[in-house]
Amino acid sequence: MEPHGYPLLFSVFLFIFLATSPAASDLHNIPHQIHPLRPRSGAHGHEVPGLSCLSWRLGVETHNLIGWKTVPEQCEKYVGHYMLGRQYRDDSKAVVDEAWLYAQSLKLAGDGKEIWVFDVDETTLSNLPYYAKHGFGTKPYDPRMFSSWVMEQKAPALPESLKLYKKLLSLGLKVVFLTGRAEDQRNVTAANLNDVGFHTWEKLILKESYYSGKTAVAYKSSERKRLEENNGYRIIGNIGDQWSDIIGTNSGNRTFKLPDPLYYIS
């Protein structure tokens, strides 16, 4: 090739690289987008001095990092980029696809006592609009601010979970929502679920005041035990974004963990 052809070759190479890089592809439209994507300067870098944010997220998802209060400040842009981009959706789909394969393999009794437990926040309802406005996990949890967001009744569905929910209903399974939201948020939570496509459920369980001071693991274990021992249900499957949704007692025949590096609930 003649020397004057190199600038053209470089331009073509640069265009292909940028068009196919994760940073560029994540800014393309994602089907059933949870929240409008926007460029976040420097958000795609995985490495910051002394800390790999990608490795930090792996530690969170594998439950090797526990008891943390906030996302490391250096990783806010990385977490924001992940949550607003395609990878979060792809990871969610991978979990849901496995859950559906499992559900299809079951021989159901069809007696109306087989249930699937869903968590709510970051499992069925997504709070990404809230976090996009207030920061991706680097600020301590503000219960009053988050409660105000809940009362707006604007949380969108996590599309992958909505698809799983509909498929499970088609099998004849019944759905129970078990959430850490307070009992006084029952009406707005039920309305929000209904608004985004979760129209049918067996029970919607919210946290009563007598669980105040107890961990999510203790609360959810107790409520699942009540479902099985007092109501005669059999928990076929259980899905949530926090480890505290799926560990403890009476967790079900099989559990599924959705990604969530935004916060940790013990």
Side-chain angles (χ1 to χ4, degrees):
M1 180 179 290
E2 295 296 324
H4 65 267
Y6 282 103
L8 177 60
L9 179 60
F10 176 78
S11 297
V12 171
F13 171 80
L14 181 62
F15 173 80
I16 293 173
F17 173 78
L18 291 175
T20 58
S21 68
S25 63
D26 281 348
L27 296 178
H28 293 166
N29 289 331
I30 296 175
H32 307 292
Q33 209 165 278
I34 299 175
H35 187 273
L37 294 178
R38 64 179 187 273
R40 297 180 62 82
S41 177
H44 189 64
H46 294 170
E47 302 292 336
V48 294
L51 177 66
S52 165
C53 295
L54 182 59
S55 297
W56 177 84
R57 181 168 67 85
L58 175 64
V60 168
E61 299 301 351
T62 54
H63 210 213
N64 289 321
L65 291 177
I66 62 175
W68 51 278
K69 302 298 183 184
T70 59
V71 171
E73 186 175 353
Q74 308 98 306
C75 295
E76 179 182 12
K77 290 181 178 180
Y78 167 76
V79 170
H81 182 87
Y82 170 74
M83 295 299 296
L84 291 176
R86 184 175 297 275
Q87 192 61 52
Y88 169 60
R89 296 290 303 282
D90 287 346
D91 291 348
S92 298
K93 183 178 183 300
V95 175
V96 164
D97 286 349
E98 188 62 31
W100 175 234
L101 285 174
Y102 159 71
Q104 287 179 294
S105 73
L106 299 172
K107 293 183 179 179
L108 300 175
D111 58 0
K113 291 296 184 178
E114 294 159 320
I115 63 172
W116 194 290
V117 176
F118 280 82
D119 173 52
V120 173
D121 292 302
E122 271 57 68
T123 298
T124 48
L125 297 180
S126 170
N127 298 300
L128 268 182
Y130 171 85
Y131 288 104
K133 180 178 179 181
H134 297 287
F136 290 98
T138 56
K139 298 176 182 177
Y141 172 65
D142 186 326
R144 289 180 295 179
M145 189 177 294
F146 186 76
S147 180
S148 295
W149 155 252
V150 169
M151 298 308 292
E152 291 182 27
Q153 197 181 307
K154 293 181 180 179
L158 181 64
E160 288 71 31
S161 293
L162 182 58
K163 291 175 184 176
L164 176 63
Y165 160 85
K166 291 179 177 179
K167 289 178 178 179
L168 294 176
L169 291 181
S170 73
L171 291 180
L173 284 166
K174 293 183 176 180
V175 167
V176 169
F177 294 115
L178 175 55
T179 174
R181 291 187 179 190
E183 177 60 36
D184 61 6
Q185 296 174 329
R186 173 175 295 277
N187 290 342
V188 70
T189 300
N192 199 159
L193 285 166
N194 188 70
D195 287 347
V196 299
F198 297 95
H199 301 308
T200 304
W201 55 81
E202 187 73 359
K203 288 181 178 291
L204 170 59
I205 303 171
L206 295 98
K207 194 173 184 179
E208 297 277 6
S209 58
Y210 52 76
Y211 283 115
S212 178
K214 295 188 177 181
T215 65
V217 173
Y219 155 60
K220 294 200 169 186
S221 293
S222 179
E223 288 299 325
R224 291 191 302 260
K225 182 177 181 180
R226 183 178 298 181
L227 285 169
E228 293 192 322
E229 296 188 359
N230 295 359
N231 300 105
Y233 291 114
R234 298 186 301 279
I235 300 175
I236 301 299
N238 179 8
I239 188 168
D241 67 292
Q242 296 289 312
W243 279 93
S244 55
D245 297 327
I246 60 175
I247 61 176
T249 65
N250 304 85
S251 57
N253 291 359
R254 188 163 173 189
T255 61
F256 298 89
K257 168 71 169 66
L258 287 166
D260 183 5
L262 285 168
Y263 51 84
Y264 178 87
I265 298 177
S266 60

